[in-house]
Amino acid sequence: MNVTTLNKTFLDLFSVLPKQAFFAPGRINLIGEHTDYNGGHVFPCAITYGTYAVARKREDALVRLYSKNFPEKGIIEFSLHELDYNAEHAWANYPKGMIRYIIEAGFGIPAGFDCAIEGNIPNGAGLSSSASIELLIGVLVNGLFGLEIPRLQLIKIGKRVENEFIGVNSGIMDQFAVGMGKQDAGILLDCQTLEYQYAPIVMGNHKIIIMNTNKRRELADSKYNERRSECEEALKELQKELPIEALGQLSEQQFEGNKHLISNETIQKRAKHAVYENIRTLKALDELKAGNLEAFGQLMNQSHISLRDDYEVTGIELDSLVEAAWQQPGVLGARMTGAGFGGCAIAIVANSEVESFIANVGAAYQQKIGYRADFYVASIGDGAKEIEMEEVK
Ligand code: GLA
């Protein structure tokens, strides 16, 4: 992927050259899983894989979009005056939802635009390709029309698109990571207050390896929404005695002393994960700041076990990858990342072992699951932004 090819695609499709270029990353979450919608903490970072767009304003109200990742869909076209969800518009519903909610937030978009897009985030891998396209369109509309939409508002609009336009009841982590990412830094975000801090990710002699199960994330959205309601139920029962607004406010002691209020055992396990994972995330930040990568890795392992046994969102594919990773030399920690039910896991691996790690985990996975896993070395990059035409890669 490079500027020449994306510009050429634009030129072939629209018979003029584009004027501006934009990029939005994908993300991994280091730790703090299924805590965002429970008012807890998350610790994600943006990665250098992402989605690129080149665009040009139009004189009329037409929006014409083309994605090189979905060539079979051709150019998708709609007017600024007609911004309803349309199943036939497939992936373009994300841009459409963004445009609609940006206008609803009071930012007038004076004209339509033409746009060609290409992403290199592995498809359906749970690395937030949808938040990436949301924020990409956010910075694009912002940049084309000089709207000066505050970044946090753009992030919230992205989440609204996911929740109301697409119908996935997700938290704010993905849009926040994609919108606020910074090179070589993780973002510790308090999802209740939206206070955040950057923490340098200093991996020393280690790399973060992304492991893709290549399992299609079927049922992921319905199971995700189910976990969310289970946590809401747990919260309601705890609120009978405790003046709390979110599970993320509970300490270990408070949870242990009150868990009997949650009558259903499964729901109790879900709440336990939410509470302990939040605490682990705060500990992980401290360990990272202190340079204790080994302790950080241990917390990652505990996170996976809790997601496997108490939250039950891993599945055989993620478990096989992570359990094979744990057995390799030079591995400090490994866990699933993102929503689960397929998608990706991450591992912290010594530089000198990366090659054999990939060979061994890959072979174990292939043997057990019957198809291959993919591996990528993660680089931590910036959040969504306008870029120079030459930077389109
Ligand atoms: C998905 C959601 C996020 C978050 C994670 C789980 O990525 O979009 O809001 O809930 O799952 O941590």
Side-chain angles (χ1 to χ4, degrees):
M1 203 177 3
N2 60 53
V3 67
T4 333
T5 64
L6 199 53
N7 278 351
K8 184 166 181 318
T9 303
F10 190 100
L11 182 63
D12 289 348
L13 294 168
F14 304 120
S15 310
V16 274
L17 278 169
K19 286 237 163 125
Q20 285 167 268
F22 304 87
F23 170 76
R27 67 98 189 86
I28 51 175
N29 187 19
L30 298 172
I31 191 163
E33 216 65 84
H34 289 278
T35 44
D36 60 352
Y37 54 83
N38 284 308
H41 293 78
V42 293
F43 195 13
C45 48
I47 53 178
T48 49
Y49 290 108
T51 322
Y52 292 85
V54 292
R56 181 182 180 117
K57 284 190 255 190
R58 294 177 56 86
E59 302 285 319
D60 57 16
L62 220 52
V63 176
R64 297 194 296 177
L65 304 168
Y66 179 83
S67 167
K68 288 184 86 171
N69 298 81
F70 302 99
E72 70 285 1
K73 299 283 176 200
I75 297 177
I76 298 175
E77 192 175 302
F78 52 85
S79 146
L80 286 177
H81 307 301
E82 185 207 279
L83 296 171
D84 288 332
Y85 184 92
N86 178 346
E88 275 172 29
H89 285 171
W91 68 272
N93 281 299
Y94 291 94
K96 208 191 223 182
M98 281 305 288
I99 294 169
R100 178 176 173 151
Y101 292 156
I102 286 172
I103 295 172
E104 282 185 19
F107 298 95
I109 299 182
F113 57 91
D114 293 330
C115 171
I117 293 177
E118 185 170 19
N120 58 10
I121 304 175
N123 215 352
L127 300 175
S128 286
S129 54
S130 65
S132 180
I133 184 116
E134 286 155 9
L135 270 292
L136 177 73
I137 298 300
V139 292
L140 182 150
V141 169
N142 209 12
L144 282 184
F145 302 106
L147 301 182
E148 298 190 1
I149 308 169
R151 186 50 63 107
L152 185 59
Q153 192 167 4
L154 219 44
I155 288 168
K156 288 181 175 168
I157 291 173
K159 176 175 182 289
R160 183 170 174 220
V161 169
E162 204 74 54
N163 297 164
E164 294 174 29
F165 209 74
I166 306 296
V168 182
N169 210 3
S170 54
I172 200 162
M173 171 171 75
D174 301 347
Q175 289 77 16
F176 203 96
V178 169
M180 301 292 271
K182 203 160 109 175
Q183 195 179 352
D184 296 326
I187 313 169
L188 194 277
L189 170 68
D190 179 335
C191 300
Q192 189 74 351
T193 61
L194 296 187
E195 276 166 38
Y196 66 97
Q197 55 174 293
Y198 290 108
I201 305 291
V202 184
M203 283 291 142
N205 299 325
H206 293 80
K207 292 212 170 8
I208 302 174
I209 306 294
I210 302 174
M211 309 182 273
N212 186 354
T213 60
N214 285 325
K215 176 187 152 68
R216 290 187 41 206
R217 295 181 57 239
E218 298 142 356
L219 283 181
D221 295 348
S222 62
K223 287 272 173 206
Y224 182 92
N225 288 346
E226 182 184 295
R227 290 296 175 279
R228 239 196 120 135
S229 8
E230 288 169 337
C231 288
E232 280 160 16
E233 207 173 316
L235 177 64
K236 252 192 224 141
E237 297 199 280
L238 290 168
Q239 281 171 331
K240 287 183 190 147
E241 299 275 332
L242 297 170
I244 52 166
E245 280 164 28
L247 294 178
Q249 288 174 302
L250 291 174
S251 66
E252 278 170 54
Q253 293 78 359
Q254 279 170 317
F255 178 73
E256 293 302 330
N258 290 282
K259 64 180 184 196
H260 61 273
L261 295 169
I262 308 170
S263 43
N264 177 302
E265 209 177 300
T266 304
I267 302 227
Q268 204 181 97
K269 284 202 301 183
R270 308 294 192 240
K272 178 179 171 206
H273 167 76
V275 172
Y276 280 74
E277 179 75 355
N278 182 45
I279 294 161
R280 270 191 291 275
T281 305
L282 291 170
K283 277 191 196 151
L285 176 74
D286 291 342
E287 299 295 4
L288 191 71
K289 279 185 173 165
N292 297 333
L293 265 193
E294 287 199 5
F296 188 88
Q298 291 294 323
L299 290 162
M300 287 174 68
N301 297 349
Q302 289 167 21
S303 164
H304 186 86
I305 291 168
S306 174
L307 288 155
R308 183 189 68 192
D309 299 344
D310 288 336
Y311 217 64
E312 297 181 273
V313 293
T314 54
I316 182 162
E317 296 82 3
L318 281 167
D319 287 339
S320 303
L321 270 184
V322 168
E323 283 158 23
W326 287 340
Q327 283 163 24
Q328 305 308 314
V331 172
L332 296 185
R335 61 180 290 277
M336 58 155 268
T337 189
F341 315 105
C344 284
I346 52 172
I348 300 184
V349 185
N351 288 343
S352 56
E353 302 288 344
V354 167
E355 232 169 89
S356 59
F357 172 89
I358 293 176
N360 294 345
V361 176
Y365 185 80
Q366 170 99 38
Q367 206 201 9
K368 187 152 176 199
I369 304 296
Y371 52 83
R372 52 176 284 142
D374 284 317
F375 298 84
Y376 330 93
V377 176
S379 320
I380 301 177
D382 283 335
K385 58 182 179 183
E386 180 159 6
I387 56 175
E388 298 296 323
M389 278 290 184
E390 294 69 38
E391 286 181 71
V392 182
K393 306 202 239 282

